[in-house]
Amino acid sequence: MNASADGERIAVVGAGVIGLTSGIRLLEAGYGVALFARELPPGTTSDVAAAFWYPGGVGSERSTGWCRESLRAFRELANEGAAGAIRFVTLHELADEPFVNLGLGLAGDVRPVARDAFPAPWGYGYSLTVARIDVPRYMPLLVARFRDLGGSIEVADVRDLAGLAGRFAMVVNCAGVGARKLARDSALHPVRGQVVRIRMPEGLPPDIIHIDSGTTLTYIVPREDDCILGGSSQVGDDDLRVDAELAASILERVAVFHPALERVEVLGHAVGLRPGRREVRLEPEPVAGGLVVHNYGHGSIGHTLAWGCAAEVVELARTLGGAGS
């Protein structure tokens, strides 16, 4: 059965940012969409993220296009107000030695940081304007928009894509790290991330600080009502328990950047499993009884890629169904 935009029903698996944005764009294109997920916001990995538009990890022309489309969508959301969910702020991408990050240029105005602007050894880097995504506000906004457009949501543990495909014109697999089993994809692996949520300290600038030293991630992401501190990038680790030593290390690492972070009020800790893969899998696959479009493996930049990938999902639906809206 082919998908068309004439109200044809499409199933989306997964209620993280990838699943919700895919569902929203399909609904806007005229498709009927039913979403199935084991966890709904605020219980998804996307809800744990210290999210901001970050194109630093992209390289291919395809992923660059996804980043650009997402940035366009974030600007549109910010212009709409989006209940404070999206704000454009300054990101400082820092390192302890000179580096070139061509992906950052997608933001437009990229400026080298002054050598003495940040404490040693973080004397190198770039400042640029990015979209900061306040997930406690943003994820409910996506759920509401999905439902307002007529999408249905069912809490369900989908274990068989082929069985689901037999009931719908097309299935979009946005299961995140769960796609390892669901799609039998050994190239997909968990990448553990841990964060600390604190009350917003008085006097803390709204700027984001981000450092990726290869083995350690350090970041400060001020939001509307709190601040997220991180982090970690532990490949192959699927332990969802909070590591107290790691939490203490995060607090120690961020404290050097501002006196307001030397003594903070901790509101909570969270752990999420990013869907790590060498490259995003966004492609159709015929299965017994139907068709699946896979859309997973976005690693740590799912929020950055989501709207761009969702636009490509719609194009696949139109192409494979031979009809447009």
Side-chain angles (χ1 to χ4, degrees):
M1 184 186 297
N2 287 328
S4 75
D6 302 321
E8 195 74 71
R9 295 275 286 173
I10 294 177
V12 173
V13 179
V17 67
I18 302 300
L20 287 168
T21 51
S22 294
I24 288 168
R25 287 297 189 241
L26 286 165
L27 287 162
E28 291 172 342
Y31 298 93
V33 181
L35 187 148
F36 300 86
R38 185 175 57 191
E39 301 288 345
L40 304 179
T44 76
T45 297
S46 299
D47 291 276
V48 176
F52 52 94
W53 183 84
Y54 179 75
V58 304
S60 71
E61 182 177 343
R62 192 181 184 205
S63 59
T64 296
W66 294 335
C67 284
R68 285 200 177 102
E69 173 59 23
S70 290
L71 184 58
R72 186 201 65 77
F74 287 134
R75 285 177 175 146
E76 187 176 275
L77 285 167
N79 289 336
E80 293 174 2
I86 305 295
R87 294 199 187 279
F88 279 80
V89 302
T90 299
L91 163 68
H92 304 291
E93 178 75 5
L94 305 179
D96 57 0
E97 60 184 22
F99 69 98
V100 175
N101 191 327
L102 298 178
L104 299 180
L106 294 175
D109 182 24
V110 180
R111 312 167 298 280
V113 301
R115 283 294 304 275
D116 58 353
F118 297 95
W122 313 115
Y124 303 91
Y126 303 93
S127 299
L128 55 151
T129 301
V130 301
R132 189 268 290 136
I133 303 138
D134 193 331
V135 292
R137 295 168 180 250
Y138 181 65
M139 295 300 289
L141 182 150
L142 294 183
V143 172
R145 180 166 293 199
F146 178 85
R147 285 181 163 142
D148 288 347
L149 288 166
S152 65
I153 297 177
E154 179 179 333
V155 177
D157 187 3
V158 175
R159 299 187 180 186
D160 179 16
L161 291 175
L164 197 60
R167 298 164 46 199
F168 291 86
M170 189 173 82
V171 174
V172 186
N173 174 22
C174 307
V177 74
R180 180 178 174 88
K181 289 184 178 179
L182 196 57
R184 298 178 179 86
D185 187 351
S186 60
L188 185 66
H189 54 269
V191 181
R192 184 181 183 277
Q194 181 170 318
V195 298
V196 181
R197 186 170 69 92
I198 65 169
R199 190 175 302 281
M200 180 67 72
E202 186 175 348
L204 184 68
D207 300 3
I208 297 170
I209 291 177
H210 182 259
I211 300 167
D212 184 351
S213 63
T215 57
T216 303
L217 288 177
T218 300
Y219 47 83
I220 302 165
V221 184
R223 304 195 300 199
E224 297 296 302
D225 303 314
D226 57 16
C227 180
I228 296 295
L229 310 175
S232 68
S233 182
Q234 297 159 283
V235 177
D237 189 339
D238 61 359
D239 189 349
L240 289 170
R241 295 173 297 179
V242 172
D243 182 332
E245 290 186 7
L246 177 56
S249 171
I250 291 170
L251 292 171
E252 182 179 353
R253 278 183 269 136
V254 302
V256 304
F257 289 99
H258 199 281
L261 294 173
E262 292 175 1
R263 303 183 69 162
V264 298
E265 180 184 350
V266 174
L267 300 177
H269 304 267
V271 176
L273 302 180
R274 308 177 184 101
R277 201 171 186 273
R278 185 167 184 174
E279 60 181 2
V280 174
R281 186 183 185 192
L282 179 40
E283 63 182 5
E285 179 187 17
V287 298
L291 176 70
V292 172
V293 169
H294 297 288
N295 184 15
Y296 64 80
H298 301 79
S300 64
I301 56 172
H303 285 275
T304 297
L305 299 175
W307 290 109
C309 290
E312 186 162 324
V313 166
V314 173
E315 289 306 309
L316 284 170
R318 288 171 172 160
T319 300
L320 295 169
S325 60

